[in-house]
Amino acid sequence: MDGAGESLDVDDVLVVIEHPFGEVEASLAEWIATGPGPRRLVRPVRARSRSTGRSLPLSVIPPQYRNNAQSRRAIAAGLLDDPWPDATS
C-alpha cells in the first residue's frame, strides 16, 4: 500500500537507480526482482508513476528494497528480511 492507503502497482512505479556509469530507469517490480546485483551500494534515488509521469516519494518503495544505509542497517539488525540474500556482498 502507498501512503494514501491505495494498493501499490509495482509495474506502474518507475525507479531511477544511481549507478557508477550513470542513472538507469527500471520498474519497481524489476528492482524488487533483481536488486543491486554485484554493486551492493547501487540504490533507487527517484521514483515516478509510469501512467501519470508524476514524481513519487521514495517511500513508495518498501523499506527492505530501498538499499540505502538505513535499510541495510535494519536488515543487518534483523529488523527487515534481506530481499536479496544471494547478492554479492
Side-chain angles (χ1 to χ4, degrees):
M1 291 206 159
D2 69 11
E6 298 173 9
S7 182
L8 177 66
D9 179 358
V10 295
D11 289 314
D12 183 56
V13 176
L14 297 174
V15 293
V16 174
I17 310 301
E18 192 171 64
H19 188 278
F21 296 113
E23 295 181 341
V24 178
E25 190 172 70
S27 72
L28 179 54
E30 182 180 3
W31 173 252
I32 286 171
T34 62
R39 294 190 179 270
R40 68 179 192 89
L41 299 181
V42 171
R43 64 186 178 87
V45 294
R46 287 190 305 283
R48 71 178 177 90
S49 167
R50 180 191 311 260
S51 60
T52 68
R54 288 187 359 211
S55 291
L56 298 170
L58 287 176
S59 61
V60 300
I61 303 169
Q64 67 270 32
Y65 299 106
R66 294 181 191 164
N67 205 36
N68 57 19
Q70 182 180 3
S71 69
R72 289 191 304 270
R73 279 193 303 271
I75 290 167
L79 300 173
L80 293 173
D81 290 334
D82 186 347
W84 308 296
D86 297 328
T88 303
S89 305

